[in-house]
Amino acid sequence: MSESRPVQDWKTDFDVLDSQYIADPFSIWDELRGSCPIAHTDRRGSTWLPTTYEDVTKIAHDIERFSSTEISVIPFEGVVPEDPVLLYGVPPISADPPLHTWTRRLLLPWFSHKNVDAYEEMTRELCKSLIKSFIESGRADAAADYAQQIPVRVIAHILGVPSEMADTFTEWVRDVLEFADDPERRMKGIEGLIIFFIEELEKRQSNPGTDLLSVLLQSEVEGEVIDARIALGTAALVLIAGVDTTWSAIGSSLWHLATHPDDRKRMVQDKEVWPLAIEELLRAYSPVTMARVVTEDTEYEGCPMKKGDKVLMNFPAANRDPKVFENPDQVILDRAKNRHVAFGSGIHRCAGSNLARMELRVALEEWLSAIPDFSIEEGKELTWAGGQVRGPRQLPVIFK
Amino acid sequence: MRIKIDPDKCQGHARCYALAPELFSVDDYGYSSVIGDGEVPKELEEKAKLAIDNCPEFAISEVE
């Protein structure tokens, strides 16, 4: 594991894996916005942390100076082989144009409204069956028994891989994202994913189906079948990006509803508020922080950024910026002005955002319809993960 | 009231479509466009304003 010495000065030595940052990043961002507002650290390499809406969205749009070829918040410390199987990374998220542009076009139709509508029924049935498994007991771990179980199975369905492997997929994704500062664990996750997808893609070379993996393999760009390593990277991306993120948003929303009875009652009683409420929960508890790498020595808003420095795309902090959002730390379910960037900003807008929204809405609809009244179970451990993706990992709740 | 979308700014967040499907359509890639010539019926003006105020890319605007 990397260093864990406590942070003394958030402006010059921040650490997104610090327990204080994971528990309450909001007060740290407030402090930084008022004084800095772009923090720096040399932990895990020279890295910058913008905290305002303006800076985060400006940097996200400045794709010339800020490249997406390194998107991990925690740099990879293992050995990269000379001829890596993921030669092209995991496009489109880890690519700049032109690779980004055409790989993104391959992916987007899979997550269009029309296609996402078709996954709603299975998502709903899945949520119902999960609730059925614990409702009689009067208690549940809303993160591990519910939120964590949903997106991974929906994504497995879309990719066309066995949903019985859901627990293994979840473990690999957590190894890659949540335990990224443990090089051995991270490598284990990457290897697991790569070996699995190489085999799945090979099966489809000889016997293609209609799933996303098969279609990716057969995709042609400018008359040529795409490089199989791109199909591999994109397949891995869909799993990595579609699991931890949405599960964290569902978990955080359930945490909010468990601890804010008035909001919970309103969502139970007022169907009209839902479209705005879902966006407000996404704003207030945005799970995802991405990264960019500086392409040339440059000065940004007085910060001397060097080629190779990282900049963290702090979308969660942008969404709490008081210059853009009135009372940003308050969840206002019917907030009417809400240009939140939970799904990013610019050309890398989350390709799966329609799917994530549907999953969050259906997961909350089914939960609140079966369990309209619930609260945190005192005396049991409640834990949060942070870093690249923030959300509850153990969320013990009780209900009648 | 008349509205328009700047196609160079739209990144397919689809917030407008979710809030006002009467006024916007989305293509297979998720990008939005206004339905018809963007003229907003009186009873949908509130929804149009909501769509403008929720676009993260500032891509929707009222035509003066």
Side-chain angles (χ1 to χ4, degrees), chain B residues 10-58:
Chain B
C10 176
Q11 295 293 349
H13 292 259
R15 299 279 303 279
C16 54
Y17 177 73
L19 290 165
E22 306 90 337
L23 299 172
F24 302 92
S25 62
V26 281
D27 66 17
D28 282 349
Y29 298 92
Y31 298 101
S32 299
S33 52
V34 295
I35 294 175
D37 61 359
E39 194 64 39
V40 180
K42 197 107 196 102
E43 69 275 14
L44 292 175
E45 283 188 3
E46 279 303 307
K47 278 197 169 188
K49 282 181 191 142
L50 208 54
I52 292 171
D53 285 344
N54 283 276
C55 176
E57 306 289 349
F58 295 80

Side-chain angles (χ1 to χ4, degrees), chain A residues 36-69:
Chain A
C36 200
I38 300 177
H40 182 261
T41 190
D42 276 315
R43 299 179 190 229
R44 308 183 189 91
S46 177
T47 308
W48 303 87
L49 180 74
T51 54
T52 68
Y53 189 93
E54 191 185 352
D55 285 334
V56 171
T57 53
K58 253 164 83 177
I59 293 168
H61 282 259
D62 190 345
I63 57 172
E64 301 287 327
R65 282 195 292 173
F66 303 101
S67 162
S68 280
T69 49

Side-chain angles (χ1 to χ4, degrees), chain A residues 53-365:
Chain A
Y53 189 93
E54 191 185 352
D55 285 334
V56 171
T57 53
K58 253 164 83 177
I59 293 168
H61 282 259
D62 190 345
I63 57 172
E64 301 287 327
R65 282 195 292 173
F66 303 101
S67 162
S68 280
T69 49
E70 287 181 43
I71 45 168
S72 291
V73 164
I74 312 299
F76 183 66
E77 286 175 358
V79 183
V80 180
E82 256 179 47
D83 183 22
V85 278
L86 290 180
L87 183 64
Y88 300 98
V90 287
I93 203 169
S94 65
D96 298 319
L99 177 61
H100 162 270
T101 315
W102 66 261
T103 51
R104 187 171 168 89
R105 280 186 81 81
L106 292 178
L107 210 47
L108 282 175
W110 286 84
F111 302 102
S112 68
H113 274 93
K114 204 170 58 195
N115 280 323
V116 165
D117 284 350
Y119 309 134
E120 181 163 335
E121 193 51 38
M122 73 139 305
T123 308
R124 199 172 291 286
E125 290 311 312
L126 170 62
C127 293
K128 280 186 203 284
S129 77
L130 290 168
I131 291 169
K132 208 171 156 194
S133 71
F134 53 67
I135 193 159
E136 293 301 323
S137 69
R139 52 167 47 82
D141 183 331
D145 300 340
Y146 189 64
Q148 191 186 101
Q149 304 298 328
I150 301 165
V152 65
R153 288 179 170 79
V154 178
I155 285 288
H157 173 76
I158 296 170
L159 284 169
V161 296
S163 63
E164 297 75 41
M165 285 184 66
D167 290 344
T168 308
F169 296 147
T170 301
E171 197 181 305
W172 287 338
V173 173
R174 292 184 76 183
D175 287 341
V176 172
L177 294 177
E178 199 177 323
F179 302 100
D181 65 329
D182 178 344
E184 270 177 41
R185 205 159 164 185
R186 188 176 191 170
M187 201 61 205
K188 180 169 80 73
I190 295 172
E191 280 175 358
L193 283 164
I194 289 177
I195 293 166
F196 171 76
F197 277 119
I198 286 176
E199 283 175 6
E200 290 293 315
L201 288 167
E202 269 170 10
K203 277 187 225 164
R204 285 162 180 78
Q205 285 284 18
S206 48
N207 191 14
T210 54
D211 53 44
L212 174 53
L213 287 185
S214 300
V215 175
L216 272 179
L217 265 183
Q218 298 163 58
S219 297
E220 288 183 15
V221 173
E222 289 170 5
E224 279 188 42
V225 175
I226 70 167
D227 190 314
R229 287 169 297 188
I230 287 182
L232 177 65
T234 302
L237 165 66
V238 171
L239 189 62
I240 296 169
V243 173
D244 233 35
T245 50
T246 312
W247 142 37
S248 295
I250 296 169
S252 299
S253 299
L254 287 170
W255 174 83
H256 178 84
L257 296 174
T259 52
H260 295 76
D262 289 346
D263 286 345
R264 190 173 68 238
K265 277 179 205 141
R266 179 153 185 206
M267 288 192 74
V268 169
Q269 288 162 3
D270 180 4
K271 274 318 269 182
E272 299 254 303
V273 82
W274 276 69
L276 294 178
I278 291 290
E279 300 303 327
E280 176 65 347
L281 290 166
L282 283 164
R283 178 195 70 83
Y285 302 105
S286 306
V288 182
T289 301
M290 296 298 295
R292 298 287 186 267
V293 61
V294 178
T295 56
E296 61 195 65
D297 288 4
T298 187
E299 188 170 300
Y300 179 84
E301 296 295 317
C303 299
M305 298 181 175
K306 297 272 174 238
K307 182 179 178 178
D309 282 6
K310 280 227 169 146
V311 181
L312 302 192
M313 299 313 297
N314 198 353
F315 300 116
N319 285 340
R320 296 269 189 150
D321 185 344
K323 263 192 165 170
V324 180
F325 303 96
E326 225 173 289
N327 296 319
D329 291 330
Q330 206 184 325
V331 169
I332 301 167
L333 291 180
D334 58 358
R335 188 184 288 275
K337 231 179 164 163
N338 191 353
R339 300 179 194 263
H340 77 75
V341 285
F343 293 112
S345 174
I347 65 166
H348 287 279
R349 186 268 305 166
C350 169
S353 61
N354 294 323
L355 179 68
R357 276 200 179 88
M358 181 278 284
E359 290 174 321
L360 174 60
R361 173 175 54 80
V362 170
L364 296 185
E365 279 172 356

